[in-house]
């Protein structure tokens, strides 16, 4: 055999691997071909270490063990039975080396992956799985590291330990793997259609920038939850900000990748435009008192929803206060709940605009997204409420009486402002819009140390009311007296005092 193919993510290399690969190479006189999968992913729970650091560790590993190695990046791909064929083609394109069952043995300890290569005729060396008991796998050692168990250093190869220490990856891995908010693939939710999300955010960017523009202070301007950078693109066009640093922070991998791509395409004229992929709740991103303006648009309700509600929002507000320079400003634009959101109301909903099944479906999460969208879109406004009450990630105490439902005003508005998002139903029903009212925000920000600018306040999206809510719903108090539709949005201009 000329080659040993060693596919895997290779975030961490072990002493056991060193002994095993040296033995295989000596037996076959072979070159080790490292197929590093998910090479285009990093800073996610499944892939916490960037490819270039993995490659550096492999090269150092090879130098220490005197192995002759070739390292090939393989981009992430959807689950496919052709994974082995695609990987082999990647290697041929990248190196010109054609691996076949006649010149290659595959070293793989994952049975499902090994079976794909075995089906193509390759011989398999089971690596860790070939031991009795099985040797500890690299991912298990990485989880030891993430848990603070220092015995990981005894199991990891010195090449990994060296690279992790030089590039301060130990804390990075612990932060990413233990992140309570971000999922395995680096997003808040696996059900979000990011292409539609980017388009919607871009469409609303001008309105958001218009609301924030007069309050922005030059210097270091940070947009947290920047999406694909649409608001920063508008800030980039402002002559008053031409000497400012414009910084986007985005936690979702899909959106961050789009930011980097747009910057590479020359979208931004200011050379001082930077993007970071970070979860602000995971720790400080910027030094204390170093940011002049922080922007957050349609973000804080996500922190509330995917985190620990007010506890997470308070931690977020505290982090922003800490990195804000004295006299600096935090501009937050988002949805909000009505001031009297706990008030019990009667909500009458239209039944004649769709299907009215006997009961809501309890199993939407198991259906393809297109089927979910079609099913929910076909329901009447009244029936859709019943489905919402099942799917919503937060309790919706209610009492149905025919076409009318008795419930809290905040719960009513959470449904009414979400009911038309059928294409992303399972994502939208994870998020609560009305968890915080303006009075709650005022109290929280004051507690943290901010002062609210008089420009702060609430508003109602009358287009949504006139076009989406009022035609199919009516709101009254418990005596049947009609109620005005409440506010739906807020703008907060919070300043850190100069003497703080």
């Amino acid at each position: 055999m000329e080659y040993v193919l060693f596919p895997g993510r290779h975030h961490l290399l072990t002493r056991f691997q060193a002994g095993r690969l040296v033995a295989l190479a000596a037996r076959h006189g072979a070159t080790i071909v490292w197929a590093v999968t998910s090479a285009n992913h990093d800073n996610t729970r499944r892939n916490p270490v960037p490819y270039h650091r993995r490659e550096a560790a492999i090269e150092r590993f090879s130098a220490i063990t005197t192995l002759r190695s070739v390292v090939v990046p393989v981009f992430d791909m959807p689950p496919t039975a052709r994974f082995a064929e695609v990987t082999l083609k990647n290697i041929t394109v990248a190196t010109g080396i054609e691996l076949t069952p006649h010149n290659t043995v595959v070293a793989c300890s994952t049975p499902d992956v090994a079976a794909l290569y075995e089906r193509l005729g390759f011989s398999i060396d089971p690596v860790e799985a070939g031991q009795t008991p099985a040797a500890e796998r690299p991912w298990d050692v990485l989880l030891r590291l993430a848990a603070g168990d220092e015995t990981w250093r005894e199991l990891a190869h010195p090449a990994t330990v060296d690279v992790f220490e030089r590039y301060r990856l130990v804390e990075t891995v612990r932060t990413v793997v233990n992140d309570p908010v971000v999922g395995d693939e680096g997003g808040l939710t696996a059900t979000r259609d990011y292409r539609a999300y980017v388009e919607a955010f871009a469409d609303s960017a001008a309105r958001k920038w218009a609301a924030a523009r007069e309050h922005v202070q030059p210097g270091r301007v940070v947009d947290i939850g920047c999406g694909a950078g649409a608001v920063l693109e508008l800030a980039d066009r402002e002559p008053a900000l031409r000497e400012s640093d414009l910084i986007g922070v985005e936690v979702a991998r899909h959106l961050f990748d789009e930011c980097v791509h747009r910057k590479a395409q020359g979208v931004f004229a200011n050379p001082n435009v930077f993007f970071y992929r970070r979860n602000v709740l995971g720790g400080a991103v910027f030094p204390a008192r170093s940011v002049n303006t922080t922007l957050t648009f349609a973000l804080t309700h996500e922190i509330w929803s995917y985190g620990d509600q007010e506890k997470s929002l308070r931690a977020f507000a505290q982090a922003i206060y800490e990195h804000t320079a004295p006299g600096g400003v935090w501009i937050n634009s988002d949805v909000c709940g009505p001031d009297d959101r706990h008030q019990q109301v009667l909500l009458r909903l239209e039944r004649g605009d769709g299907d009215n099944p006997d009961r809501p479906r309890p199993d939407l999460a198991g259906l393809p997204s297109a089927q979910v969208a079609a099913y929910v879109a076909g329901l009447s406004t009244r029936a859709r409420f019943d489905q919402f009450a099942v799917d919503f990630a937060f309790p919706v105490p209610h009492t149905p009486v025919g076409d009318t439902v008795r419930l809290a005003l905040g719960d009513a508005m959470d449904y009414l402002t979400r009911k038309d998002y059928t294409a992303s139903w399972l994502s939208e029903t994870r998020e609560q819009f009305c968890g915080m009212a303006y009075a709650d925000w005022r109290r929280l920000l004051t507690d943290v140390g901010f002062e609210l600018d008089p420009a702060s306040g609430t508003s109602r999206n009358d287009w949504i009311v006139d076009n989406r809510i009022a035609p199919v719903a009516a709101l009254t108090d418990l005596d049947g007296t009609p109620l005005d539709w409440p506010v739906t949005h807020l703008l907060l201009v919070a300043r850190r005092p100069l003497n703080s």
Side-chain angles (χ1 to χ4, degrees):
M1 294 291 177
E2 297 177 54
Y3 302 102
V4 174
L5 171 59
F6 194 21
R9 288 177 287 159
H10 301 308
H11 292 288
L12 182 145
L13 310 174
T14 66
R15 295 176 186 270
F16 174 82
Q17 286 177 329
R20 189 66 183 168
L21 291 175
V22 166
L24 281 172
R27 185 188 314 160
H28 299 293
T31 296
I32 310 297
V33 178
W34 302 72
V36 183
T37 58
S38 297
N40 57 325
H41 286 190
D42 67 275
N43 206 41
T44 70
R45 194 173 297 160
R46 191 167 72 93
N47 294 294
V49 181
Y51 168 74
H52 61 287
R53 302 301 186 214
R54 290 182 257 171
E55 182 185 34
I58 291 169
E59 295 290 5
R60 181 142 180 75
F61 176 97
S62 301
I64 293 172
T65 58
T66 69
L67 288 170
R68 187 169 187 268
S69 292
V70 173
V71 187
V72 179
V74 179
F75 280 17
D76 196 56
M77 65 188 81
T80 172
R82 300 187 64 253
F83 173 80
E85 291 100 313
V86 173
T87 300
L88 293 168
K89 288 179 181 178
N90 265 270
I91 292 167
T92 301
V93 170
T95 66
I97 298 171
E98 187 171 348
L99 304 181
T100 70
H102 302 293
N103 66 8
T104 302
V105 61
V106 176
C108 181
S109 64
T110 305
D112 290 346
V113 176
L116 298 177
Y117 288 97
E118 203 166 23
R119 192 175 63 199
L120 298 177
F122 287 91
S123 299
I124 306 297
D125 183 278
V127 204
E128 293 89 0
Q131 305 302 299
T132 306
E136 195 149 3
R137 298 170 187 263
W139 187 253
D140 297 324
V141 179
L142 192 86
L143 292 180
R144 287 195 185 207
L145 181 161
D149 182 350
E150 288 300 313
T151 59
W152 76 272
R153 297 175 183 275
E154 301 167 13
L155 297 167
H157 191 271
T160 284
V161 176
D162 172 53
V163 170
F164 274 33
E165 288 182 342
R166 277 191 288 139
Y167 292 101
R168 302 182 180 181
L169 292 174
V170 172
E171 283 307 314
T172 297
V173 169
R174 285 178 179 158
T175 298
V176 172
V177 172
N178 297 320
D179 193 318
V181 176
V182 182
D184 288 354
E185 300 304 327
L188 294 173
T189 169
T191 58
R192 171 170 286 169
D193 180 348
Y194 280 99
R195 182 174 62 180
Y197 184 82
V198 168
E199 292 172 353
F201 205 95
D203 289 343
S204 63
R207 173 176 51 80
K208 293 171 180 176
W209 178 245
R213 181 175 175 271
E214 64 178 297
H215 308 293
V216 172
Q217 294 188 10
R220 179 173 278 188
V221 179
V222 177
D223 184 358
I224 300 177
C226 66
V231 170
L232 283 182
E233 182 180 351
L234 297 175
D236 178 63
R237 300 173 187 172
E238 291 287 339
L241 299 178
R242 64 181 181 275
E243 299 296 329
S244 295
D245 290 348
L246 304 180
I247 301 169
V249 179
E250 178 54 57
V251 68
R253 173 176 54 81
H254 309 73
L255 302 177
F256 173 78
D257 289 346
E258 182 64 18
C259 290
V260 173
H261 172 71
R262 296 179 75 233
K263 180 180 178 181
Q265 294 298 106
V267 168
F268 301 96
N270 186 337
N272 296 313
V273 174
F274 307 98
F275 293 101
Y276 293 91
R277 182 140 182 270
R278 297 286 190 277
N279 173 18
V280 175
L281 292 178
V285 176
F286 302 101
R289 303 184 174 203
S290 67
V291 175
N292 302 96
T293 299
T294 301
L295 304 170
T296 52
F297 299 102
L299 172 71
T300 50
H301 77 274
E302 294 189 342
I303 293 173
W304 168 280
S305 301
Y306 294 104
D308 192 10
Q309 285 75 67
E310 186 169 351
K311 180 180 178 181
S312 294
L313 269 186
R314 186 172 293 272
F316 180 70
Q318 186 67 53
I320 292 181
Y321 181 83
E322 294 298 333
H323 79 215
T324 300
V329 64
W330 173 22
I331 305 166
N332 178 32
S333 173
D334 205 349
V335 292
C336 73
D339 286 334
D340 47 356
R341 68 187 187 284
H342 298 300
Q343 175 189 355
Q344 290 290 299
V345 298
L346 297 177
L347 179 65
R348 187 190 62 77
L349 299 170
E350 177 64 47
R351 277 188 181 272
D353 56 351
D355 297 333
N356 293 282
D358 292 337
R359 60 183 62 86
R361 294 189 60 159
D363 58 348
L364 290 188
L367 299 177
S369 57
Q371 191 173 340
V372 172
Y375 172 75
V376 175
L379 297 175
S380 72
T381 303
R382 175 65 184 84
R384 198 175 300 177
F385 171 82
D386 290 335
Q387 190 64 53
F388 178 82
V390 170
D391 298 328
F392 196 39
F394 300 84
V396 187
H398 64 282
T399 303
V401 183
D403 295 346
T404 303
V405 181
R406 174 175 172 166
L407 74 173
L409 178 58
D411 293 336
M413 293 307 295
D414 252 312
Y415 168 62
L416 293 172
T417 54
R418 209 74 45 75
K419 67 181 179 60
D420 296 291
Y421 293 108
T422 57
S424 53
W425 182 258
L426 293 179
S427 175
E428 293 296 338
T429 52
R430 288 286 311 277
E431 299 178 8
Q432 187 174 34
F433 282 11
C434 299
M436 291 276 285
Y438 183 74
D440 302 317
W441 271 109
R442 185 171 57 241
R443 183 181 65 254
L444 186 152
L445 293 175
T446 301
D447 288 349
V448 168
F450 282 110
E451 294 178 348
L452 273 184
D453 188 281
S456 302
T458 58
S459 61
R460 188 179 74 183
N461 188 321
D462 287 331
W463 186 92
I464 289 178
V465 169
D466 294 341
N467 292 276
R468 292 185 173 178
I469 297 178
V472 294
L475 188 68
T476 71
D477 65 15
L478 297 184
D479 295 326
T481 303
L483 297 174
D484 287 336
W485 297 107
V487 299
T488 56
H489 292 76
L490 55 73
L491 174 68
L492 298 167
V493 181
R495 301 186 185 278
R496 179 167 179 165
L498 282 168
N499 59 355
S500 63

